[in-house]
Structure formats: structure tokens, C-alpha cells
Amino acid sequence: MELEEYIKDATDEAMSDYIKSEKYKEHKKQINDLLRNMRENLSSEKMILLNQLLDAISVCDGAFASEAYLQGVVEGIALCKKKIKSV
């Protein structure tokens, strides 16, 4: 397994405290409440379109977050190596 795969696999574990936090749970609840209210007034066709939009946003944001985490770890390692060499 390559380093990139190890780092990406570690994301869930590294973020578990945040995912379990009250702040995160409250944000998720607010989003779910808004979605529930919006869906009540939509036709089935519009609901399908909304679900497709939300799925596309989730995939895009998830990929961005994963890439940002990976880049942060890689840059952190590089910075650590640079600091060690300068000592």
C-alpha cells in the first residue's frame, strides 16, 4: 500500500473526535432539519433532482476534504524533515 492510501485510510480515525463532537452533531441536525422542511414542498421529480444535487456536492466536498487532509499530512512531513535537517 502506498503512503497516500495509508494517509487517506487514516482520515476517519483522525477525525473521529470531531465527528463525535456536539458541534458537528448540531450542524448535521440543522442540515437535516432544513432538508426535511424543503422536501415537504417538493414534487417527486424535484426531490430526485435535489438528491442528485446533494450527492454531487457531497462527492465533491468529500474529495476536496480528503485531498486537503492528504496535502496537509504530506506538507507536515516535509516541514518536519526540513526542520530536522536544519538542526
Side-chain angles (χ1 to χ4, degrees):
M1 187 182 282
E2 292 184 33
L3 178 60
E4 181 176 338
E5 292 171 348
Y6 280 114
I7 293 169
K8 286 185 177 183
D9 287 346
T11 304
D12 288 341
E13 184 179 333
M15 297 303 295
S16 70
D17 285 344
Y18 176 72
I19 291 170
K20 294 174 187 174
S21 73
E22 289 304 313
K23 179 181 177 180
Y24 180 77
K25 289 177 184 177
E26 182 59 31
H27 284 154
K28 294 292 280 185
K29 183 184 179 317
Q30 289 171 354
I31 291 168
N32 288 331
D33 290 345
L34 289 168
L35 281 171
R36 186 174 36 260
N37 289 335
M38 179 179 272
R39 284 187 170 118
E40 288 175 358
N41 300 313
L42 294 177
S43 67
S44 59
E45 294 84 16
K46 295 286 184 179
M47 201 176 306
I48 290 169
L49 186 59
L50 175 63
N51 289 339
Q52 290 172 340
L53 172 64
L54 293 172
D55 288 345
I57 291 169
S58 292
V59 168
C60 183
D61 287 351
F64 179 87
S66 181
E67 187 63 26
Y69 183 83
L70 173 65
Q71 290 300 316
V73 170
V74 169
E75 289 182 22
I77 292 169
L79 182 61
C80 224
K81 286 180 180 179
K82 184 177 178 180
K83 185 174 180 179
I84 289 171
K85 287 181 182 179
S86 70
V87 172

